[in-house]
Amino acid sequence: FRRVLFRSVASVGVPLLHWPVGAGAVFGQLDAVGSNYVDVTNANWPASAYSSAINPYYLRLRTGSSAGRIFLVDSSTANTTTRLYLNNEGTNLTGTSGDVYELVLADTLDTLFGSNTLLGGTDAGTADDVLVWSGASWFVFYYNTTNGRWQRDSDTVTSPTRGTFVLRPDRGLMIVRKAATDLNFYVTGRVPELSPIYWHQRPGVTFLSAGLPTDMTLATLALQTSTTGWQGTTFAIPPDSNADIIQVWSGASWFNFYYDTVNNCWQRDIDATQTNHNTFVVPAGRPIMIRRLSAAATVADSLVVLPPLPYVLPP
């Protein structure tokens, strides 16, 4: 998968998966689960290996009602030879016993970009910047060539390295390219074999990866039906405070879309006349920002189920 980063601001997602890798049972069936941990009786996992902050891992479910979801292995509690503790995002994992799982490496600033993929510099103003949405604001990272490490723009010399900061595969990034040349950015991996399921904030703003390495239209994404309680509005009412919104970065600005509940189509917030934007294309690898106004009654109400796969994998 290739993204070309021009001398501008680009929104980037990584729609490919790493292969299961590691020691012990990196692929198998969950024997027992708790609210925030999973057990595999004969896993033979090296103690602490999968809970390392330096080499973070995800557990990805491949069967069951949560198939397509990923959970970061918790680095604050060491894994044992048979148990992994997970960041469950408020989900009680007890319903996943017997499901098939795989363990995959998580990307970090160090592993995805290294020290020389992007332009480094002595501060965030001279280097290429990687922006990660925290849920409330942008975290700005850059490679500091003086200190030889990834830093936040607010860091000092005594701050810890940010190279192990996890770049979630279900989230998007913004990259501010300062170098005078374009960058061909290549990412290798496998295409998903089942539709991803993502968690997002309600109420709040979440920068989501579109999840699949194909172009998708707003009609195909169908967030008005694939998420619980999507709030639309009518064309005559301004959507800013009355509707949930999808934002797509155009390369120069954000395009804001809301769902018109009278005309049953997606429209832009700046449209002077009713215009059906169902065919607007979100390019492969382009993340989307979604803003939800209402609170979720349950964790399940905060899940985004991506559409069925638009391709068929060989058996």
Side-chain angles (χ1 to χ4, degrees):
F1 181 78
R2 184 184 76 164
R3 284 300 306 274
V4 180
L5 303 182
F6 301 100
R7 195 172 187 270
S8 60
V9 182
S11 59
V12 177
V14 182
L16 300 178
L17 300 170
H18 292 301
W19 290 98
V21 65
V26 297
F27 182 94
Q29 189 174 37
L30 302 178
D31 292 322
V33 296
S35 61
N36 67 335
Y37 66 84
V38 297
D39 289 339
V40 177
T41 304
N42 297 312
N44 293 318
W45 294 318
S48 303
Y50 290 106
S51 55
S52 167
I54 298 176
N55 294 298
Y57 272 82
Y58 283 102
L59 181 139
R60 178 174 178 261
L61 293 175
R62 297 183 56 154
T63 63
S65 60
S66 294
R69 287 200 68 183
I70 59 170
F71 299 95
L72 183 65
V73 178
D74 191 350
S75 61
S76 64
T77 305
N79 73 273
T80 70
T81 58
T82 60
R83 175 171 292 184
L84 297 173
Y85 290 90
L86 306 177
N87 178 358
N88 64 4
E89 297 177 329
T91 301
N92 190 318
L93 298 171
T94 54
T96 62
S97 181
D99 289 348
V100 174
Y101 73 91
E102 63 182 0
L103 288 169
V104 293
L105 272 169
D107 282 317
T108 66
L109 288 168
D110 274 338
T111 60
L112 187 62
F113 297 114
S115 60
N116 56 13
T117 299
L118 300 176
L119 176 69
T122 56
D123 54 45
T126 58
D128 289 348
D129 299 327
V130 177
L131 279 60
V132 179
W133 181 250
S134 71
S137 61
W138 292 103
F139 287 171
V140 179
F141 298 95
Y142 70 100
Y143 191 83
N144 188 295
T145 51
T146 300
N147 297 326
R149 65 182 190 181
W150 281 94
Q151 295 187 183
R152 282 187 63 183
D153 59 343
S154 58
D155 283 346
T156 66
V157 174
T158 59
S159 299
T161 179
R162 305 294 181 171
T164 58
F165 186 89
V166 175
L167 304 176
R168 294 177 59 107
D170 56 351
R171 297 292 187 261
L173 306 170
M174 299 294 289
I175 297 181
V176 182
R177 179 75 169 158
K178 311 278 183 56
T181 57
D182 297 341
L183 172 67
N184 286 295
F185 181 51
Y186 293 88
V187 178
T188 60
R190 58 193 167 111
V191 299
E193 81 289 354
L194 49 89
S195 297
I197 300 177
Y198 293 160
W199 177 89
H200 68 292
Q201 293 189 99
R202 287 189 62 185
V205 180
T206 310
F207 199 24
L208 287 177
S209 167
L212 298 174
T214 58
D215 295 347
M216 285 185 286
T217 65
L218 293 179
T220 301
L221 282 171
L223 293 189
Q224 78 278 8
T225 57
S226 64
T227 61
T228 301
W230 187 270
Q231 187 168 323
T233 190
T234 64
F235 176 77
I237 300 176
D240 291 346
S241 58
N242 295 282
D244 295 333
I245 291 177
I246 296 175
Q247 295 180 291
V248 182
W249 181 251
S250 71
S253 62
W254 291 100
F255 286 179
N256 298 339
F257 299 92
Y258 68 96
Y259 193 74
D260 184 332
T261 55
V262 173
N263 297 292
N264 297 318
C265 66
W266 290 94
Q267 301 206 45
R268 281 191 67 186
D269 62 343
I270 64 171
D271 285 344
T273 58
Q274 295 175 3
T275 304
N276 187 325
H277 288 286
N278 284 351
T279 57
F280 180 86
V281 174
V282 180
R286 182 79 54 84
I288 58 174
M289 188 84 79
I290 63 173
R291 187 200 68 182
R292 302 297 306 273
L293 294 177
S294 63
T298 67
V299 173
D301 293 342
S302 291
L303 298 180
V304 176
V305 181
L306 271 292
L309 297 180
Y311 47 80
V312 177
L313 297 175

Coordinates of all heavy atoms in Angstrom, one line a residue, residues 32-82:
A32 N -10.5 -19.2 28.4 CA -11.2 -18.5 29.5 C -11.0 -17.0 29.4 O -9.9 -16.6 28.9 CB -10.9 -19.1 30.8
V33 N -11.9 -16.2 29.9 CA -11.8 -14.8 29.8 C -12.3 -14.2 31.1 O -13.2 -14.7 31.8 CB -12.5 -14.2 28.6 CG1 -11.9 -14.6 27.3 CG2 -14.0 -14.5 28.7
G34 N -11.8 -13.0 31.4 CA -12.4 -12.2 32.5 C -12.8 -10.9 31.9 O -12.8 -10.7 30.7
S35 N -13.1 -9.9 32.8 CA -13.6 -8.6 32.2 C -12.5 -7.9 31.5 O -12.8 -7.2 30.5 CB -14.1 -7.7 33.4 OG -13.0 -7.5 34.3
N36 N -11.2 -8.1 31.8 CA -10.1 -7.4 31.1 C -8.9 -8.3 30.9 O -7.8 -7.8 30.7 CB -9.7 -6.2 31.9 CG -9.0 -6.5 33.3 OD1 -9.3 -7.6 33.8 ND2 -8.2 -5.7 33.8
Y37 N -9.1 -9.6 30.8 CA -8.0 -10.5 30.5 C -8.5 -11.7 29.8 O -9.7 -12.0 29.7 CB -7.3 -10.9 31.8 CG -8.1 -11.8 32.7 CD1 -8.2 -13.2 32.5 CD2 -8.8 -11.2 33.8 CE1 -9.0 -14.0 33.4 CE2 -9.6 -12.0 34.7 CZ -9.7 -13.4 34.4 OH -10.4 -14.1 35.3
V38 N -7.6 -12.4 29.1 CA -7.9 -13.6 28.4 C -6.9 -14.7 28.8 O -5.7 -14.4 29.1 CB -7.9 -13.4 26.8 CG1 -9.0 -12.4 26.4 CG2 -6.5 -13.0 26.4
D39 N -7.3 -15.9 28.8 CA -6.5 -17.1 29.2 C -6.4 -18.1 28.0 O -7.5 -18.4 27.4 CB -7.0 -17.8 30.4 CG -6.8 -17.0 31.7 OD1 -5.9 -16.1 31.7 OD2 -7.5 -17.2 32.7
V40 N -5.3 -18.6 27.8 CA -5.1 -19.7 26.8 C -4.2 -20.7 27.5 O -3.0 -20.4 27.8 CB -4.4 -19.2 25.5 CG1 -4.2 -20.4 24.6 CG2 -5.3 -18.2 24.8
T41 N -4.7 -21.9 27.8 CA -4.1 -22.8 28.8 C -2.7 -23.2 28.3 O -1.8 -23.2 29.1 CB -5.0 -24.1 28.9 OG1 -6.3 -23.7 29.3 CG2 -4.4 -25.0 29.9
N42 N -2.5 -23.5 27.1 CA -1.2 -24.0 26.6 C -0.5 -23.0 25.7 O 0.2 -23.3 24.8 CB -1.4 -25.3 25.9 CG -1.9 -26.4 26.8 OD1 -1.4 -26.6 27.9 ND2 -2.9 -27.2 26.3
A43 N -0.7 -21.7 26.1 CA -0.1 -20.7 25.2 C 1.4 -20.7 25.2 O 2.0 -20.4 24.2 CB -0.6 -19.3 25.6
N44 N 2.0 -20.9 26.3 CA 3.5 -20.8 26.5 C 4.0 -19.5 26.0 O 5.1 -19.4 25.4 CB 4.1 -22.0 25.6 CG 3.8 -23.3 26.2 OD1 3.9 -23.5 27.4 ND2 3.5 -24.3 25.4
W45 N 3.3 -18.4 26.4 CA 3.8 -17.1 26.1 C 5.0 -16.8 27.0 O 4.9 -17.0 28.2 CB 2.7 -16.1 26.3 CG 1.6 -16.2 25.3 CD1 1.6 -16.4 24.0 CD2 0.2 -16.0 25.7 NE1 0.4 -16.4 23.4 CE2 -0.6 -16.2 24.4 CE3 -0.5 -15.7 26.8 CZ2 -1.9 -16.1 24.4 CZ3 -1.9 -15.6 26.8 CH2 -2.6 -15.8 25.6
P46 N 6.0 -16.2 26.5 CA 7.1 -15.7 27.4 C 6.6 -14.6 28.3 O 5.9 -13.7 27.9 CB 8.1 -15.1 26.4 CG 7.8 -15.7 25.1 CD 6.3 -15.9 25.1
A47 N 6.8 -14.8 29.6 CA 6.3 -13.8 30.6 C 6.8 -12.4 30.3 O 8.0 -12.2 30.0 CB 6.8 -14.3 32.0
S48 N 5.9 -11.5 30.3 CA 6.2 -10.0 30.1 C 6.5 -9.7 28.6 O 6.5 -8.5 28.3 CB 7.3 -9.5 30.9 OG 7.1 -9.8 32.3
A49 N 6.6 -10.7 27.7 CA 7.0 -10.4 26.3 C 5.9 -9.6 25.6 O 6.2 -8.7 24.8 CB 7.3 -11.6 25.6
Y50 N 4.6 -9.9 25.8 CA 3.6 -9.3 25.1 C 3.0 -8.0 25.8 O 2.2 -7.3 25.2 CB 2.4 -10.3 24.8 CG 2.8 -11.3 23.8 CD1 3.1 -12.6 24.2 CD2 3.0 -11.0 22.5 CE1 3.5 -13.6 23.3 CE2 3.3 -12.0 21.5 CZ 3.6 -13.3 22.0 OH 4.0 -14.2 21.1
S51 N 3.5 -7.8 27.0 CA 3.0 -6.6 27.7 C 4.1 -5.5 27.7 O 4.1 -4.6 28.5 CB 2.6 -6.9 29.1 OG 3.6 -7.6 29.8
S52 N 5.1 -5.6 26.8 CA 6.2 -4.7 26.8 C 5.8 -3.4 26.1 O 5.2 -3.4 25.1 CB 7.4 -5.3 26.0 OG 8.3 -4.3 25.7
A53 N 6.1 -2.3 26.8 CA 5.8 -1.0 26.2 C 6.7 -0.7 25.0 O 6.3 0.1 24.1 CB 6.0 0.1 27.2
I54 N 7.8 -1.3 24.9 CA 8.7 -1.1 23.8 C 8.3 -1.8 22.5 O 8.4 -1.3 21.4 CB 10.2 -1.5 24.2 CG1 10.7 -0.7 25.3 CG2 11.1 -1.4 23.0 CD1 12.0 -1.1 25.9
N55 N 7.7 -3.0 22.7 CA 7.2 -3.8 21.6 C 5.7 -4.1 21.9 O 5.4 -5.3 22.2 CB 8.0 -5.1 21.4 CG 9.4 -4.8 21.0 OD1 9.7 -4.2 19.9 ND2 10.4 -5.2 21.8
P56 N 4.8 -3.2 21.7 CA 3.4 -3.4 22.1 C 2.7 -4.3 21.1 O 3.1 -4.4 19.9 CB 2.8 -2.0 22.0 CG 3.7 -1.2 21.0 CD 5.1 -1.8 21.2
Y57 N 1.7 -5.0 21.6 CA 0.9 -6.0 20.8 C -0.6 -5.7 20.9 O -1.0 -5.1 21.9 CB 1.2 -7.4 21.3 CG 2.4 -8.1 20.6 CD1 3.7 -7.8 21.1 CD2 2.2 -9.0 19.6 CE1 4.8 -8.5 20.5 CE2 3.3 -9.6 19.0 CZ 4.6 -9.4 19.5 OH 5.6 -10.0 18.9
Y58 N -1.3 -6.1 19.9 CA -2.7 -6.2 19.9 C -3.2 -7.6 19.9 O -2.6 -8.5 19.3 CB -3.3 -5.5 18.7 CG -3.3 -4.0 18.8 CD1 -2.4 -3.2 18.1 CD2 -4.2 -3.3 19.6 CE1 -2.3 -1.9 18.2 CE2 -4.2 -1.9 19.6 CZ -3.3 -1.2 18.9 OH -3.2 0.2 19.0
L59 N -4.3 -7.9 20.6 CA -5.1 -9.1 20.4 C -6.2 -8.8 19.5 O -7.0 -7.9 19.8 CB -5.5 -9.7 21.7 CG -6.3 -11.0 21.6 CD1 -5.9 -12.0 22.7 CD2 -7.8 -10.8 21.6
R60 N -6.3 -9.5 18.4 CA -7.4 -9.3 17.4 C -8.3 -10.5 17.4 O -7.8 -11.6 17.2 CB -6.8 -9.0 16.0 CG -7.9 -8.8 14.9 CD -7.2 -8.4 13.6 NE -8.1 -8.3 12.5 CZ -8.3 -9.2 11.6 NH1 -7.6 -10.4 11.6 NH2 -9.2 -9.0 10.6
L61 N -9.6 -10.3 17.5 CA -10.6 -11.4 17.5 C -11.0 -11.7 16.1 O -11.3 -10.8 15.3 CB -11.8 -11.0 18.4 CG -11.5 -10.9 19.9 CD1 -12.7 -10.5 20.6 CD2 -11.0 -12.3 20.4
R62 N -11.1 -13.0 15.7 CA -11.4 -13.4 14.4 C -12.7 -14.1 14.3 O -13.2 -14.3 13.1 CB -10.3 -14.2 13.8 CG -9.0 -13.5 13.7 CD -7.9 -14.4 13.1 NE -8.2 -14.9 11.8 CZ -7.4 -15.2 10.8 NH1 -6.1 -15.0 11.1 NH2 -7.8 -15.6 9.7
T63 N -13.3 -14.5 15.4 CA -14.7 -15.1 15.4 C -15.5 -14.5 16.5 O -15.0 -13.8 17.4 CB -14.6 -16.6 15.5 OG1 -14.0 -16.9 16.8 CG2 -13.7 -17.3 14.4
G64 N -16.8 -14.9 16.5 CA -17.7 -14.4 17.5 C -18.3 -13.1 17.3 O -18.0 -12.4 16.2
S65 N -19.1 -12.6 18.2 CA -19.8 -11.3 18.0 C -18.9 -10.1 18.0 O -19.2 -9.1 17.5 CB -20.8 -11.1 19.2 OG -20.2 -11.1 20.4
S66 N -17.6 -10.3 18.5 CA -16.7 -9.2 18.5 C -15.6 -9.3 17.4 O -14.6 -8.7 17.4 CB -16.0 -9.0 19.8 OG -16.9 -8.6 20.8
A67 N -15.8 -10.2 16.4 CA -14.9 -10.5 15.4 C -14.6 -9.2 14.6 O -15.5 -8.5 14.2 CB -15.4 -11.5 14.4
G68 N -13.3 -8.9 14.4 CA -12.9 -7.6 13.8 C -12.5 -6.6 14.8 O -11.9 -5.5 14.3
R69 N -12.6 -6.8 16.1 CA -12.2 -5.8 17.0 C -10.7 -6.1 17.5 O -10.3 -7.2 17.4 CB -13.0 -5.8 18.3 CG -14.4 -5.2 18.1 CD -15.0 -4.8 19.4 NE -14.3 -3.7 20.1 CZ -14.6 -3.2 21.3 NH1 -15.6 -3.8 22.0 NH2 -14.0 -2.2 21.8
I70 N -10.0 -5.1 17.9 CA -8.7 -5.2 18.4 C -8.6 -4.6 19.8 O -9.3 -3.7 20.1 CB -7.6 -4.5 17.5 CG1 -8.0 -3.0 17.4 CG2 -7.5 -5.1 16.1 CD1 -6.9 -2.2 16.7
F71 N -7.8 -5.2 20.6 CA -7.6 -4.7 22.0 C -6.1 -4.7 22.3 O -5.4 -5.7 22.1 CB -8.2 -5.7 23.0 CG -9.7 -5.8 22.8 CD1 -10.3 -6.9 22.1 CD2 -10.6 -4.9 23.4 CE1 -11.6 -7.0 21.9 CE2 -12.0 -5.0 23.2 CZ -12.5 -6.0 22.5
L72 N -5.6 -3.5 22.7 CA -4.2 -3.4 23.0 C -3.9 -4.2 24.3 O -4.6 -4.1 25.3 CB -3.9 -1.9 23.3 CG -2.4 -1.5 23.5 CD1 -1.5 -1.8 22.3 CD2 -2.3 0.0 23.9
V73 N -2.8 -4.9 24.2 CA -2.3 -5.7 25.4 C -1.8 -4.6 26.4 O -1.0 -3.8 26.1 CB -1.2 -6.7 25.0 CG1 -0.7 -7.4 26.3 CG2 -1.8 -7.7 24.0
D74 N -2.3 -4.7 27.6 CA -1.9 -3.8 28.7 C -0.5 -3.9 29.1 O 0.0 -5.0 29.4 CB -2.8 -4.0 29.9 CG -2.8 -2.9 30.9 OD1 -1.9 -2.1 30.8 OD2 -3.6 -2.9 31.9
S75 N 0.3 -2.8 29.0 CA 1.7 -2.8 29.4 C 1.9 -2.5 30.9 O 3.0 -2.6 31.3 CB 2.5 -1.8 28.5 OG 2.0 -0.5 28.8
S76 N 0.8 -2.2 31.6 CA 1.0 -1.9 33.0 C 0.9 -3.1 33.9 O 1.3 -3.1 35.1 CB -0.1 -0.9 33.5 OG -1.4 -1.5 33.3
T77 N 0.4 -4.2 33.3 CA 0.3 -5.5 34.0 C 1.0 -6.6 33.2 O 0.5 -6.9 32.1 CB -1.1 -5.9 34.4 OG1 -1.8 -4.9 35.1 CG2 -1.1 -7.2 35.2
A78 N 2.1 -7.2 33.7 CA 2.8 -8.2 32.9 C 2.0 -9.4 32.5 O 1.3 -9.9 33.4 CB 4.1 -8.6 33.6
N79 N 2.1 -9.8 31.3 CA 1.4 -11.1 30.9 C 2.2 -12.2 31.5 O 3.4 -12.2 31.8 CB 1.4 -11.2 29.4 CG 2.7 -11.5 28.7 OD1 3.5 -10.6 28.4 ND2 3.0 -12.8 28.5
T80 N 1.5 -13.3 31.7 CA 2.0 -14.6 32.2 C 2.2 -15.5 31.0 O 1.9 -15.2 29.9 CB 1.2 -15.2 33.3 OG1 0.0 -15.7 32.7 CG2 0.9 -14.2 34.4
T81 N 2.5 -16.8 31.3 CA 2.6 -17.7 30.2 C 1.3 -18.1 29.6 O 1.2 -18.7 28.5 CB 3.4 -19.0 30.7 OG1 2.6 -19.5 31.8 CG2 4.8 -18.7 31.1
T82 N 0.2 -17.8 30.4 CA -1.2 -18.2 29.9 C -2.2 -17.1 29.9 O -3.3 -17.3 29.5 CB -1.7 -19.3 30.8 OG1 -1.8 -18.9 32.2 CG2 -0.8 -20.6 30.8

